[in-house]
Amino acid sequence: MTGDRGRDETGTEGDSSSTDGGVGPGELDADSPLTLPGFFDALADGDLLGGVCGDCGEVLLPPRPACYACGSRDVSVREQPREGEVYSYTEVHTPPPAFEDDAPYTLAVVELASGGRLFGRVDADYADVSIGDRVRLTTREPTEAELSAAVSYEREWPLHVFEPR
C-alpha cells in the first residue's frame, strides 16, 4: 500500500493519523485507509481495514472519516475479520454491459464477525445461498471485462469476493 499505515493504540495495523481520536484538518489524503483508494490499497496488501467509531462503536466498511451512524469524527482504523454471515442477498439478471457474460450472479451484504457490513459478490449460485450462510472474504485480480468497466483509479484495485464456508 502507498499510504502511511502504522499500529494504532490496540496494536492493530491502521492509519497513523486516526489513532488520536479522529482525523484533523489536512490529515486526510487518498492514501489514508479512511478513503476508498486507501481501503483498496490495504486490501491489495491483504489487510481488511474498517473504521470503528470511538463514540458509538459502529464499524464502517469501507472506512470513512466520519461515522454514518452518529456523525462523530472519532474514527480509528482496525483490522477486520474476513469471516461473516450473509445478511441479505440478490441475484443480478440484467447487469451492466461489461458483465453480461457473468449473469446471473449473486451479490450480498455480509455481516462480518465484528458487526460491520460489506457488500460484494458471492462465489455461489443464488439458489445455493441463504441468509445466515457463513462466508469468507477473498480477493482476486479483475477480469478484462471488469477492467473495461473500471474508472482509471479503480484499475489497480483487487476485487473482493465472498466464498461459502
Side-chain angles (χ1 to χ4, degrees), residues 6-88:
R7 297 275 170 185
D8 66 16
E9 64 272 6
T10 65
T12 305
E13 198 167 8
D15 176 20
S16 59
S17 68
S18 66
T19 61
D20 63 356
V23 177
E27 293 180 2
L28 188 65
D29 62 22
D31 292 333
S32 168
L34 293 171
T35 66
L36 278 178
F39 171 76
F40 281 103
D41 281 349
L43 197 57
D45 289 344
D47 298 322
L48 177 60
L49 301 179
V52 178
C53 179
D55 288 339
C56 73
E58 185 78 15
V59 178
L60 314 168
L61 284 164
R64 309 277 194 297
C67 179
Y68 41 71
C70 73
S72 172
R73 289 191 154 292
D74 183 11
V75 176
S76 58
V77 175
R78 303 274 191 281
E79 182 74 25
Q80 296 297 303
R82 292 178 174 264
E83 293 80 25
E85 294 183 356
V86 173
Y87 179 81
S88 181

